[in-house]
Amino acid sequence: KGDAKAGEEKAVMCVACHGATGKVSVPLYPNLAGQNAEYLAHALQAYKKGERSGGQAEIMKAYVSGLSDSDIDNLAAYYASQKP
Amino acid sequence: KGDAKAGEEKAVMCVACHGATGKVSVPLYPNLAGQNAEYLAHALQAYKKGERSGGQAEIMKAYVSGLSDSDIDNLAAYYASQKP
């Protein structure tokens, strides 16, 4: 349901850790390219709601706190559309 | 650091939702194939420690509660070794 093109524009905040196309250089971080959009949106919502802790969860929460549901769906659509 | 072969044997408990080779049929669940082993191990440990809630987190916690650190590393190595 997200708009991948809008998500690509929003992804500027994600690329430092997750890569422009969702393939990471730091193995502790997850690749996002080709992941299911529904799962990506779920994970972002979980960080936003504080349902994840430990690791980078506080950092993720800070990043996603300003995102709307549409932003989240768009980002999920963008990374899901990238080739793994 | 995990043993992918040992992980494959342990993965029988994962396949109903995550697929034998880590590619899911239910889009709410994450693909695991080709994901970074370090991230997969981190995520499993987070479920085990109760650092994730919401969604399927309680189910994941139940599944991983009986896994040793070695089991977790082996499962992570197995799914990381699968082609996305």
Side-chain angles (χ1 to χ4, degrees), chain B residues 7 12 16 20 26 29 36 39 42 55 63-64 69 74 77 80-82:
Chain B
V12 291
V26 180
Y29 302 156
N36 298 311
Y39 176 74
H42 163 77
Y63 270 99
V64 301
D69 288 352
N74 295 344
S81 74
Q82 298 300 298

Side-chain angles (χ1 to χ4, degrees), chain B residues 1-7 37-38 41 69-78 81:
Chain B
K1 58 185 174 176
D3 176 341
K5 180 69 191 155
E38 283 188 45
D69 288 352
S70 290
D71 291 335
I72 285 174
D73 290 341
N74 295 344
L75 283 167
Y78 171 64
S81 74

